[in-house]
Amino acid sequence: MAATTISIEEDQFSCPVCLDVLREPVTIPCGHSYCLDCIEDYWNRPTQKGQYSCPQCRQLFSPRPALSRNTVLQEVVDKLQRTGLQAAAPQPAAKAEDVRCGVCTGRKARAVRSCAVCQESYCEAHLRAHEDRFHGKGHKLSSAVDQPRERLCPHHDKQLRVYCRSDQQCVCSQCAKERHKDHDTVPVADERAAQQKKLEESSLKSLQKLKEVEKELRYVVRYIKHSTEAAVEESERIFSKLIRSIEKHRCEVRELIRAQEKTAVSQAEELLEKIQREITVLRRSEAELEKLSHTEDHIHFLQKCKSLHFPSKSVELPSADLLPYFMYKTMRGALADLKGSLDEVCEREFNRISEKAISLKETSHSGTAKNKVRDTDIPPNSEPRTRAEFLHYYNDITLDSGTANPYLSLSDGRRGVTTRSEPQPYPENPDRFTNWAQVLGRAGIAGRCYWEVEWAGTGGVSIGVCYKGMNRNGGGSDSKLGHNSKSWSLDCCYSSCSFQHNKDSVVIAVPCGNRIGVYLDFRAGTLSFYNVSEAMVLLHKAKTTFSQPLYPGFWVGLGSTLKLCSFKGLN
């Protein structure tokens, strides 16, 4: 009798749970077979809730069926494995961020889809088994999600398809009809779209606000750097001037000591010459005496010896201790006192500067200040209104003679300037304006600053600011205040008034007064000019972005004078 040939597919002997060849196969009451460990793990899950179902047909068993090995099936599997049946290829393990397959035992594979009916997530292999079993009939698949059962209503075991806005929770359709009947409910997709739009708008607003803060902070950093640069430059200028003053006095003291030395040495040398002449006369007398001592004529000796002269008066020597006492006692003591006084002054002023810096730091942290208007008291984009408010930002400006054109004459402690018809005896300086009758302030400024200028005369004046790098040589526009990209100016005369910057001119309808107030807000990038009176009258306001510390600059026409107003008591 011929042997019977049976065709057996590989998946007939694969566990529907792990998709591997059956290991210790058991058959449950509905007739489906599984690995012993797979069905035990499946029934041990909390989702079974005391009712145990078949992973394939979903038939329920209660109580939990007792499991025993299917020895016949094990023998068949063993025999088939010996003849070449291979296990199904294992699935790649899920990563930490992946949704894990709810059916895999041991090492979990990455889930690709979830079934709303089965309430499980499946990897590719288990998804194929699911599709082969149900062919999509009533089993709606979705993107893989963790714990699909959480998407079910705990009261009715139905899909959460409705969102209750009144209670702010997801509910099923039956809950919407019963427990949330009079509530504001919408499909979850609509609520998701509304919430997503709201969150996107909030995200956009937050991003815009953060970008504005970022922009402001970047500007603050630049502002602090420019202010620091101006302060360092001013301190360097003052210390250089102090060093030059000390150097000058050092030279004067040295010349004084040398003059005293010259006088004392001259006196001693004159006395020395006199002594040397007397020594010469004495030696001649000694020679004559020696000659007479050898004569035997007593009468001749007595007659000749009367002409010999030997002075007996002692020579009064100058004091050898007077000059050393002056140099090493008086002078050294005076210089030591000077050094002590200078050290004391420097220490006192440095402590005063440090205390102001600490006070400013504490004020900036606490956000409070007493009896003084600060930059933070006025919003960045606004300006003071009254003259009293402007004067809180008064900056004590003096003129730099090193930049003054040779035809400018400075006066009033370098606060006044007049154009002369003859050049002044200024020393050579590469920072000096060679052609235009212009002069700059001594120090760069950054921050909020205010100063006032009085002017008079028929020649007119220009009042403005510029960068330090503005050209000083020649008669071109690159060195004329207000006529290049590095400077801004208000041109004043009795008949007209105009604002100048980078070859652009703005005619101002309001006549210029004889006292002009200049307000600079470096951080806000504004430069404003005012007619100073009880009510500050705005002449022009320029808006830009300053990239470097600014220097006050002035041009004075022939026949005109200009004076910087002083309010020292306000500093």
Side-chain angles (χ1 to χ4, degrees), residues 509-521:
V510 180
C512 280
N514 288 107
R515 180 174 284 225
I516 303 298
V518 184
Y519 176 72
L520 169 68
D521 190 336

Side-chain angles (χ1 to χ4, degrees), residues 378-445:
I378 300 175
N381 295 325
S382 65
E383 291 187 354
R385 296 181 180 180
T386 65
R387 186 164 181 248
E389 290 178 349
F390 279 107
L391 287 176
H392 278 293
Y393 300 101
Y394 163 69
N395 192 50
D396 187 20
I397 295 174
T398 54
L399 302 174
D400 183 3
S401 60
T403 64
N405 179 271
Y407 287 87
L408 292 180
S409 174
L410 305 186
S411 60
D412 296 328
R414 296 185 181 179
R415 296 182 186 277
V417 56
T418 305
T419 301
R420 303 295 185 185
S421 57
E422 297 295 332
Q424 306 299 302
Y426 291 130
E428 292 286 337
N429 193 323
D431 294 333
R432 193 177 305 286
F433 288 100
T434 60
N435 288 63
W436 298 104
Q438 298 175 154
V439 62
L440 300 182
R442 290 192 306 171
I445 53 179

Side-chain angles (χ1 to χ4, degrees), residues 467-488:
Y467 293 143
K468 185 177 182 179
M470 189 180 82
N471 189 32
R472 315 291 174 88
N473 298 317
S477 60
D478 60 338
S479 59
K480 182 170 175 56
L481 191 67
H483 290 255
N484 50 70
S485 61
K486 297 181 180 180
S487 62
W488 298 257

Side-chain angles (χ1 to χ4, degrees), residues 297-338:
D297 188 346
H298 301 302
I299 301 299
H300 178 73
F301 179 87
L302 292 174
Q303 291 176 341
K304 293 293 184 180
C305 73
K306 293 180 180 180
S307 61
L308 298 177
H309 179 68
F310 295 97
S312 60
K313 185 178 180 180
S314 61
V315 178
E316 184 177 353
L317 295 176
S319 175
D321 294 331
L322 183 60
L323 184 60
Y325 180 83
F326 170 75
M327 290 189 295
Y328 294 104
K329 298 293 184 180
T330 305
M331 182 68 72
R332 185 174 182 180
L335 292 177
D337 291 342
L338 175 62

Side-chain angles (χ1 to χ4, degrees), residues 78-143:
D78 291 342
K79 184 175 181 180
L80 290 175
Q81 282 185 323
R82 287 194 298 270
T83 60
L85 183 64
Q86 299 297 324
Q91 297 293 312
K95 298 179 181 178
E97 65 274 13
D98 293 335
V99 177
R100 302 187 179 193
C101 177
V103 181
C104 290
T105 58
R107 187 178 64 172
K108 299 285 186 178
R110 183 177 67 88
V112 293
R113 303 287 281 176
S114 295
C115 177
V117 177
C118 299
Q119 303 164 23
E120 287 290 1
S121 297
Y122 300 102
C123 62
E124 291 185 357
H126 286 111
L127 180 63
R128 287 196 299 269
H130 178 276
E131 289 299 292
D132 290 342
R133 186 177 308 119
F134 300 108
H135 302 287
K137 296 179 180 179
H139 289 245
K140 185 177 180 180
L141 298 176
S142 62
S143 300

